[in-house]
Amino acid sequence: MSDDSHGSALAALRRKFFTGRVAELRLLRELMLSEGRGCFVVWLHGMGGVGKSTLLLRFADEARIHGRSLRMVDMRSTEATPDAFRAALEAQGPPDEAQLLLIDSAEALGPLEQWLREDFLPRMPAHLLVVIGSRLAPAIEWRTDTQWWHALRRVKLSAMDDAEAALLLRNRDVAETSAADIVRTAHGLPLALALFADARENSTEDAGPGSAWELDNSPDLVRELLRLLLRETPSPARADALHVLALARVTTEELVRQALDVPVAAAQALFAWLRTLSFVHSTADGLIPHELVREALLADLRWRDLEKYERLFRRLHAYLAERLAQRTGGRWAFGASLAYLGRASSVVRKAADWRGTDRLHLRAARPQDLDTVLAAIEKEHGVAAGDLARQWWNRQPSAFIVAENGRGVITGTLVVPCLEPSATKLPDDPVMHAALEHMTDQSSPLRRPGRLLLGRWSTGDAVAACFALTTLWATTPGLAVSWICTTRNQRQLAQLLDLYGQRPAAPVTDTDGEPLSSFVQDWRSVPFARWTKALSVRLLIDEPVATSVPVVAPLAPAMPWSEFVEAVKHAYRSVSEPQQFAHSALLGTRLVAPDANPGALQQVLTETVVQLRAQPGGRQLADILEITYLSGPRSQQAAASRAALSFSTYRRRLSTALVTAAELLRERELHGPVPR
C-alpha cells in the first residue's frame, strides 16, 4: 500500500482517532515484537458492537508500521470450509510467509474452529502470531486441552468507560451538550456511540430530551442497531424469547415457558438459544442481556406491536407476583424481578437510575456485614442513626437486608424492623413511636397476628430498596401496615414509593431532629394480590399521576381511637337500654349505613362477639361479653359467677374483651365485615 493511497490515509485517521483499548493494544504489540513468546493465539471476544473489528484493524496498521507481513480473513465474507479459508489466505500471498494472521467474525467459523485448532494452526510456522476476533469465547476444547493452556490467551473486550466514550464522541465533534446523554444511552458500546453520533450529526432537532438517540423516538435507529447487533432475523418464536429477555430482570427457562405459554421442549430450545447470544450474560439467577440491547428490543417491540408488549408485560407481572406471594425459596430474586418490571414504564424509569440493577443480589445481612452496614448508615444518616441502628441489630438482626452488585460488594442496605403487638424491649426510636401513634390515631393499634413493617433506613441504590420492600410486602406473615421513611436526599426512593402507590403521611422527626417523609400502606384493606394487580395497570398507563393519589387508599376513620374505644364500651353497656343505645356514637360511623336503626348496630355488636369467639384465645372473652351484655341484663358479680371467675379476674378479662372488640370493630369500619 503506497503512502499516498486512500488506504494509507484511512489508516492514519484510524491511528489518530482510535479510542481506548490501551491494555489490549499493548498486549498485542508486545506479543508481536517478542522473540520467544509462549502464546501464539490471542482470542479477542465480546458482544457485537464492542469494537473487536476496529481493534483488529488498528493492530493491523501498527503491524505494517513495524514491517510485519500479515494476512486477514473476515468470516463474514468467507465460507466456513477449509478450502475457502485457504483460498482467502493465498489470495493475499503465500500463507507460510505471513508473520501475523488476523481472523475476524470468528463466531461464523462453526465446525471450522475445530479444523483450525487440530489441523491448520499446528502446521503453521512458529513465528506466526494469530489474533482471532469473535463474539463468542473459544470453545471449551481450547480451554481444557493442556497443549493450548499456554499457547492461547483469552481477552474479553468490555464496554468503554464514560471517559473513553466521551473522548470518542469528542473526536466525532459531538457537542458536549449532547455527549452526556449519548454516553448514558449507549452504555459504553462503541458501535452505539458511533450510530448515535451519526444520528446527532444528521438530526435537524435541537439537542436535549427526545433527540435522535432517544431510542423510543427513533425506530429506524433502533432497527439499524438491532440489525448490527443480532446479524440475523430471528424466527417469531425466537423474537418472542428475546422480548421476554428484554422485559425480565433475569430470564430462566421456566420464565420463558410461562411468559410465552409454550411446551417444555420449546422453552428448553429457546432458552438454550438465548444462552448462545454474545450480549447475554449467565448468572446464578438466570440470563441477563446487555442493557443497551434490552432497551433497543423493548423500544422496537413497543413501536411495532404495543398490544403484544402489554400482553407479555401482564403475563410476566402476574406470574412473578404469584410466585412471590407463594413465599417459596428465592423470594428475594422474585421480589427484585417483580419490582424491576416497573422500569418498563417510562415514568418509573426516569424516576431512578436503573443501570446495573438487573445484577443486584439481595440477601439477609450476616454478622460479618455489621461494620459495613453501620458505616453506610452513619455516612448517609448520621452518627445518631448508626447508634440506633446498632440497637435494632441487637434486638432484631433479621431486619437488616443488604444488596450486592455482580462482584459481591455490598452497595446498599435496608433496615426494616417488623413490629408485633405488645413487643417489649424495643429501642427508644422516635420514628417507631410516631408510626405506632399514627396507627392508633388514624386506624387502630396492632393486634395479633397483625404486624407493622417499619422501613427505618436505606442506603445506596433506591431501586435496591424497592426490590427489598416489594419482597417484604408480599412475604411478611400477618402484615397489617407498612411505614417507609425517606430523607430529603432520597428523592429517587420517595418518587418510586409514590409511583408504586404508597400513601404519603405526615412528616416525622428523626433522632437528630431532621424531618423524614413517610409513606404508608394499609395491607389489611389492600392485600398484596390486589395491590400488584392495580399496579400492573398503572404501569401500563405509563403516565405520571397526582403525587398524593395511592393505588387504593382505605378510608380514614372519623373518630380518634380513644373516643372509639369509649363509644364501643358505651354501646355494649347500653345495648339492653334502648333509649341510651339509640344515641350511641357508633351509629355515626361506617359500621352501619347512614340511615340505619339501632337494631343494625346491635347486629354488628353480636357479630363481633361471634368473630371474637372464632379467634385463638378469644372464646372466654366472647363468653364474658355475651354473658355480661347480650344474654340479658345482670350485675357484674352475677356475670363473674356465671363465667366461673373470681370477680377481680372477671373485671380484667372484661376490660380486655371490650378493647379487643373495639379493635375488631375498627377493622370492620375501615375494611368492611369479615366474609362468612
Side-chain angles (χ1 to χ4, degrees), residues 245-315:
L245 181 80
L247 261 175
R249 184 183 73 92
V250 293
T251 298
T252 63
E253 185 180 302
E254 172 67 11
L255 193 67
V256 171
R257 187 176 71 83
Q258 292 289 339
L260 302 181
D261 192 23
V262 295
V264 172
Q268 290 175 341
L270 291 171
F271 185 76
W273 174 72
L274 290 175
R275 292 184 70 179
T276 67
L277 300 176
S278 65
F279 53 79
V280 173
H281 178 68
S282 295
T283 71
D285 290 334
L287 304 181
I288 297 178
H290 186 275
E291 288 181 284
L292 177 61
V293 180
R294 183 193 292 279
E295 297 299 334
L297 286 168
L298 287 180
D300 185 58
L301 177 59
R302 281 190 291 255
W303 178 75
R304 288 190 299 101
D305 196 337
L306 184 59
E307 183 179 350
K308 176 185 282 189
Y309 160 75
E310 293 179 348
R311 183 169 62 250
L312 183 58
F313 177 89
R314 284 192 294 267
R315 287 186 67 93

Side-chain angles (χ1 to χ4, degrees), residues 24 27-28 42-46 51-52 55-56 103 106 131-138 153-157:
E24 293 86 352
L27 170 67
L28 294 176
V42 180
W43 193 290
L44 304 171
H45 64 99
K52 300 179 298 296
L55 176 57
L56 288 177
I103 303 174
V131 182
I132 300 173
S134 175
R135 295 189 174 195
L136 305 177
R153 175 81 66 89
R154 291 175 58 192
V155 178
K156 183 175 182 180
L157 296 187

Side-chain angles (χ1 to χ4, degrees), residues 376-664:
I377 292 174
E378 288 187 7
K379 182 178 179 180
E380 290 198 28
H381 300 276
V383 176
D387 292 340
L388 186 54
R390 183 181 291 276
Q391 295 179 45
W392 275 114
W393 175 275
N394 293 334
R395 180 66 180 85
Q396 196 176 121
S398 60
F400 289 68
I401 298 108
V402 297
E404 295 176 332
N405 62 16
R407 299 181 298 278
V409 177
I410 294 178
T411 59
T413 300
L414 185 69
V415 183
V416 197
C418 189
L419 307 180
E420 297 182 347
S422 305
T424 59
K425 298 181 180 179
L426 297 176
D428 185 16
D429 188 334
V431 176
M432 176 193 70
H433 296 317
L436 293 173
E437 184 177 348
H438 171 89
M439 291 188 64
T440 300
D441 291 343
Q442 300 296 323
S443 55
S444 61
L446 281 178
R447 67 180 194 83
R448 295 186 184 279
R451 293 178 173 183
L452 168 66
L453 201 63
L454 181 64
R456 189 58 180 89
W457 298 283
S458 66
T459 69
D461 202 301
V463 173
C466 280
F467 286 0
L469 288 170
T470 300
T471 305
L472 294 170
W473 291 335
T475 60
T476 300
L479 180 59
V481 175
S482 59
W483 177 290
I484 314 301
C485 299
T486 62
T487 67
R488 67 183 68 185
N489 296 323
Q490 293 179 309
R491 295 179 179 176
Q492 288 191 355
L493 178 56
Q495 280 186 282
L496 289 174
L497 290 170
D498 180 65
L499 289 168
Y500 287 167
Q502 306 303 295
R503 188 158 55 106
V508 297
T509 303
D510 206 348
T511 49
D512 57 1
E514 287 294 314
L516 299 176
S517 298
S518 300
F519 294 84
V520 181
Q521 179 76 36
D522 192 324
W523 298 98
R524 295 167 296 187
S525 60
V526 190
F528 183 78
R530 182 180 169 195
W531 172 81
T532 192
K533 186 174 182 180
L535 178 62
S536 68
V537 174
R538 191 178 189 183
L539 292 172
L540 285 175
I541 292 174
D542 208 13
E543 294 178 0
V545 295
T547 57
S548 60
V549 178
V551 173
V552 184
L555 295 172
M559 191 184 301
W561 171 244
S562 58
E563 294 181 20
F564 186 80
V565 173
E566 291 304 316
V568 170
K569 292 179 179 179
H570 178 271
Y572 273 108
R573 290 165 183 163
S574 63
V575 71
S576 301
E577 301 176 15
Q579 289 186 338
Q580 290 190 38
F581 191 69
H583 295 89
S584 172
L586 295 183
L587 287 168
T589 67
R590 286 186 292 273
L591 288 170
V592 293
D595 57 349
N597 57 40
L601 179 58
Q602 183 175 2
Q603 178 64 29
V604 169
L605 297 181
T606 302
E607 290 175 358
T608 301
V609 172
V610 174
Q611 182 184 352
L612 177 57
R613 180 174 284 112
Q615 294 193 338
R619 171 174 287 278
Q620 187 184 61
L621 299 180
D623 289 344
I624 289 174
L625 287 180
E626 183 169 349
I627 291 170
T628 306
Y629 302 121
L630 300 182
S631 62
R634 56 174 47 85
S635 67
Q636 290 192 355
Q637 289 82 356
S641 176
R642 184 171 177 184
L645 296 171
S646 68
F647 187 66
S648 60
T649 301
Y650 162 80
R651 290 288 299 271
R652 290 195 303 271
R653 300 287 171 80
L654 176 60
S655 178
T656 301
L658 287 169
V659 172
T660 306
E663 292 172 351
L664 295 174

Side-chain angles (χ1 to χ4, degrees), residues 17 166-176 179 197 200-201:
F17 294 115
L167 177 59
L168 186 151
L169 294 175
R170 193 157 54 248
N171 289 338
R172 291 288 300 259
D173 296 325
V174 176
E176 290 188 11
R200 177 67 266 158
E201 292 166 4

Side-chain angles (χ1 to χ4, degrees), residues 66-296:
H66 284 87
R68 296 301 194 267
S69 173
L70 66 91
R71 307 286 184 267
M72 192 164 188
V73 178
D74 191 338
M75 294 308 300
R76 284 174 293 185
S77 55
T78 304
E79 186 181 357
T81 64
D83 290 343
F85 189 87
R86 288 195 190 95
L89 282 179
E90 291 168 355
Q92 303 171 65
D96 291 348
E97 296 179 4
Q99 296 168 293
L100 183 64
L101 171 59
L102 307 182
I103 303 174
D104 198 7
S105 302
E107 67 274 2
L109 284 169
L112 198 62
E113 183 178 336
Q114 180 180 355
W115 173 79
L116 279 174
R117 184 179 64 253
E118 297 179 355
D119 187 21
F120 179 79
L121 291 178
R123 296 174 184 271
M124 296 304 291
H127 63 259
L128 181 69
L129 174 65
V130 181
V131 182
I132 300 173
S134 175
R135 295 189 174 195
L136 305 177
I140 192 66
E141 287 79 9
W142 294 92
R143 291 172 275 159
T144 57
D145 190 332
T146 53
Q147 66 181 346
W148 285 105
W149 283 359
H150 301 291
L152 180 137
R153 175 81 66 89
R154 291 175 58 192
V155 178
K156 183 175 182 180
L157 296 187
S158 56
M160 286 183 165
D161 60 31
D162 287 354
E164 292 172 333
L167 177 59
L168 186 151
L169 294 175
R170 193 157 54 248
N171 289 338
R172 291 288 300 259
D173 296 325
V174 176
E176 290 188 11
T177 54
S178 299
D181 286 339
I182 294 179
V183 168
R184 179 181 177 84
T185 305
H187 295 284
L189 205 62
L191 171 65
L193 289 164
L195 282 176
F196 296 164
D198 178 71
R200 177 67 266 158
E201 292 166 4
N202 293 283
S203 174
T204 58
E205 303 176 26
D206 294 331
S211 52
W213 60 84
E214 292 286 343
L215 296 184
D216 284 329
N217 300 322
S218 306
D220 291 339
L221 182 61
V222 168
R223 176 179 55 81
E224 189 66 16
L225 180 62
L226 290 177
R227 182 185 69 81
L228 292 171
L229 292 177
L230 292 174
R231 278 198 197 162
E232 67 172 295
T233 301
S235 67
R238 287 184 171 183
D240 288 344
L242 282 172
H243 296 144
V244 174
L245 181 80
L247 261 175
R249 184 183 73 92
V250 293
T251 298
T252 63
E253 185 180 302
E254 172 67 11
L255 193 67
V256 171
R257 187 176 71 83
Q258 292 289 339
L260 302 181
D261 192 23
V262 295
V264 172
Q268 290 175 341
L270 291 171
F271 185 76
W273 174 72
L274 290 175
R275 292 184 70 179
T276 67
L277 300 176
S278 65
F279 53 79
V280 173
H281 178 68
S282 295
T283 71
D285 290 334
L287 304 181
I288 297 178
H290 186 275
E291 288 181 284
L292 177 61
V293 180
R294 183 193 292 279
E295 297 299 334

